Amino acid sequence: MAASPHTVSSRLLTGCVGGCVWYLERRAMQESPHKFMHLFRNVNKQWITFQHFTFLKRMYVTELNRSLCQQVKPKSEPVASPFLEKTSSSQAKAEIYEMKPFSPSSLSLSRKPNEKELIELESASVIEGSIHVGKETQDEKQWKEMKLHVDHLPGVLARLSKIKLTALVVSTTSAGFALAPGPFDCSCFLLTSLGTGLASCAANSINQFFEVPFDSNMNRTKNRPLVRGQISPLLAVSFATCCAVPGIALLTWGVNPLTGALGLFNIFLYTCCYTPLKRVSIANTWVGAVVGAIPPVMGWTAATGSLDAGAFLLGGILYSWQFPHFNALSWGLREDYSRGGYCMMSVTHPALCRRVALRHCLALIALSTAAPILDVTTWTFPAISLPINLYISYLGFRFYWDADRKSSRKLFFCSLWHLPLLLLLMLTCKRPPGDSDKAEPQS
């Protein structure tokens, strides 16, 4: 049976429509990956990432819930210098652009914020944070005048004068006075101790005044009063002058001129020779040892008025003791001394540093043996001082052989108790007045 014209036309139409639909479906399947990649690139261009959504979600929650904001600990104020820096107005002013803050109330809880609102919220928070950072940076760079309270002045002056070192100097002077032959004069002893302490405070203060730019580079000395700006250089020099003048006056007119001359010479040797020599030559260690050996000599001359063999013996003991003490200390501070620009044996001649320490540890044994020969102590002293002298010599040998921080620390801490104990043993074994090994010929 033949098909009608209407049926033929409808089949042709259906075939055309189906072909068109098939072509469009095939075209869509071929182009859909390209459209997806194109959409992904556009999304990346708009910075919509997973981390971005997480950050915006956190910001959105903290803006809507003020109770969830973290309490930030306020930053401590930087240490200010006592000298106020004068800055120009152009450098002191910071240009801060104010932006209209994004109101969190505009975000409805029932809907998610759109992209535009999120970007606006992010930009507002970032600029607000940059403004706070800029203000903190400007406050840190601004120099402020530091006011010194009267209550803090004694502590600052004590650190300026190195009160612990001054106490050691006074104790060695007292030992020299007590070991000298003759009756003990209490008033002369007090004047000698006070004058020596004032002279030591003056020398230490002037030493810190000269070494401010170098102490600021060392961890060991960067917290000193002049380095931190807790006291002005003028006040430091004034304090040194107020200590040196009455100290030397007490030693000269209150004790005797020889002791006053030794005190004045020691201040000069410490401030004008030892201090500048520290950055020139390793000979500064030997000069510093002479400075430390003079106080017991001053105690002896204050009691006797003359320089005897006993005075040189006490000075020799202090002289030799300082090498194991200081060389062991400087061994652990080699990096600091290098950073500060100081020329120390431990930095430039490490082998010599260890040899000298061991050499003077052994010298303490010989000096202790010479004490009864010079009629300073009895023969009991070399015997009872031999164990501690042998022990410090052993630690000096370990320091020489191992050459490490552990052995240097042991030698240093041993030297801290060795000297007081050695002087105490000398006092207990002091030769009584009028006692002599040689019998007087009977008439």
Side-chain angles (χ1 to χ4, degrees):
M1 185 176 62
S4 62
H6 178 72
T7 303
V8 174
S9 61
S10 62
R11 287 180 179 178
L12 291 174
L13 181 60
T14 303
C16 292
V17 172
C20 291
V21 171
W22 175 81
Y23 175 76
L24 291 175
E25 288 179 356
R26 184 180 178 184
R27 181 75 177 271
M29 291 296 294
Q30 291 177 354
E31 292 183 358
S32 58
H34 301 283
K35 289 184 178 181
F36 178 75
M37 295 300 295
H38 182 68
L39 178 61
F40 187 74
R41 292 192 188 98
N42 292 338
V43 168
N44 285 338
K45 289 181 180 178
Q46 295 174 1
W47 304 333
I48 306 297
T49 60
F50 177 76
Q51 292 84 357
H52 184 76
F53 273 119
T54 305
F55 170 74
L56 293 181
K57 179 182 177 182
R58 185 165 60 251
M59 293 295 298
Y60 176 70
V61 172
T62 53
E63 286 291 337
L64 292 179
N65 302 278
R66 294 290 183 178
S67 61
L68 297 179
C69 294
Q70 298 179 354
Q71 297 292 333
V72 181
K73 185 178 179 181
K75 188 177 181 180
S76 59
E77 296 183 358
V79 179
S81 174
F83 312 106
L84 186 62
E85 183 187 37
K86 297 181 180 179
T87 57
S88 60
S89 59
S90 60
Q91 296 177 351
K93 294 181 179 180
E95 297 180 358
I96 300 177
Y97 297 94
E98 297 183 357
M99 293 189 63
K100 183 179 179 180
F102 182 74
S103 177
S105 60
S106 61
L107 295 177
S108 176
L109 293 175
S110 60
R111 67 178 182 88
K112 294 183 179 180
N114 56 26
E115 178 184 348
K116 183 178 180 181
E117 291 175 343
L118 291 176
I119 294 176
E120 184 179 356
L121 174 61
E122 180 186 7
S123 60
S125 61
V126 169
I127 293 183
E128 183 180 0
S130 63
I131 290 175
H132 288 299
V133 172
K135 288 182 179 180
E136 292 180 359
T137 305
Q138 182 184 3
D139 293 340
E140 290 177 358
K141 291 182 178 181
Q142 183 71 28
W143 284 20
K144 298 179 181 179
E145 185 176 4
M146 189 173 184
K147 295 181 180 180
L148 179 64
H149 299 282
V150 180
D151 299 338
H152 301 159
L153 187 60
V156 172
L157 294 179
R159 286 187 285 119
L160 180 67
S161 59
K162 302 180 184 178
I163 194 65
K164 294 181 180 180
L165 180 59
T166 299
L168 178 62
V169 170
V170 173
S171 64
T172 56
T173 305
S174 304
F177 189 95
L179 285 169
F184 186 83
D185 189 350
C186 185
S187 60
C188 183
F189 172 77
L190 293 177
L191 289 176
T192 303
S193 301
L194 181 59
T196 305
L198 291 174
S200 177
C201 290
N204 292 328
S205 301
I206 298 174
N207 170 261
Q208 290 196 34
F209 170 76
F210 284 145
E211 294 184 342
V212 169
F214 309 100
D215 288 344
S216 60
N217 296 325
M218 298 177 59
N219 293 328
R220 176 172 171 261
T221 57
K222 66 181 181 181
N223 291 324
R224 286 180 174 176
L226 282 172
V227 178
R228 296 187 60 189
Q230 294 178 329
I231 190 174
S232 65
L234 178 61
L235 184 56
V237 174
S238 302
F239 172 73
T241 305
C242 292
C243 290
V245 173
I248 299 302
L250 284 175
L251 293 175
T252 304
W253 288 284
V255 183
N256 54 59
L258 178 59
T259 307
L262 287 174
L264 183 61
F265 173 71
N266 213 21
I267 293 177
F268 170 79
L269 193 64
Y270 186 70
T271 57
C272 299
C273 297
Y274 169 72
T275 300
L277 199 61
K278 288 168 67 176
R279 294 179 296 277
V280 178
S281 171
I282 61 172
N284 68 84
T285 307
W286 283 269
V287 177
V290 174
V291 173
I294 290 179
V297 178
M298 293 172 58
W300 186 282
T301 58
T304 62
S306 61
L307 283 171
D308 301 328
F312 290 105
L313 174 67
L314 291 175
I317 291 176
L318 264 295
Y319 179 83
S320 292
W321 172 84
Q322 288 180 88
F323 285 97
H325 172 76
F326 181 75
N327 287 12
L329 173 65
S330 63
W331 188 266
L333 300 173
R334 287 177 293 174
E335 294 82 2
D336 248 9
Y337 282 123
S338 299
R339 197 181 302 113
Y342 294 114
C343 187
M344 297 295 173
M345 268 193 296
S346 59
V347 178
T348 59
H349 301 77
L352 179 63
C353 175
R354 304 193 306 272
R355 286 199 306 270
V356 170
L358 175 60
R359 189 182 305 158
H360 284 275
C361 286
L362 298 174
L364 289 173
I365 301 176
L367 291 170
S368 298
T369 308
I373 300 176
L374 299 176
D375 294 335
V376 178
T377 63
T378 61
W379 282 98
T380 309
F381 172 69
I384 62 176
S385 64
L386 185 61
I388 61 173
N389 288 332
L390 287 177
Y391 182 67
I392 196 173
S393 300
Y394 166 74
L395 293 181
F397 175 76
R398 296 305 309 175
F399 173 56
Y400 169 76
W401 188 262
D402 296 338
D404 57 357
R405 291 179 181 271
K406 182 179 179 181
S407 59
S408 66
R409 282 197 301 267
K410 287 184 177 180
L411 180 59
F412 172 73
F413 286 116
C414 176
S415 66
L416 294 179
W417 58 262
H418 176 271
L419 179 65
L421 184 57
L422 186 68
L423 294 177
L424 182 61
L425 292 176
M426 291 187 73
L427 286 173
T428 56
C429 299
K430 177 184 176 181
R431 187 179 295 277
D435 188 14
S436 177
D437 293 334
K438 296 182 180 179
E440 294 283 342
Q442 296 181 358
S443 58

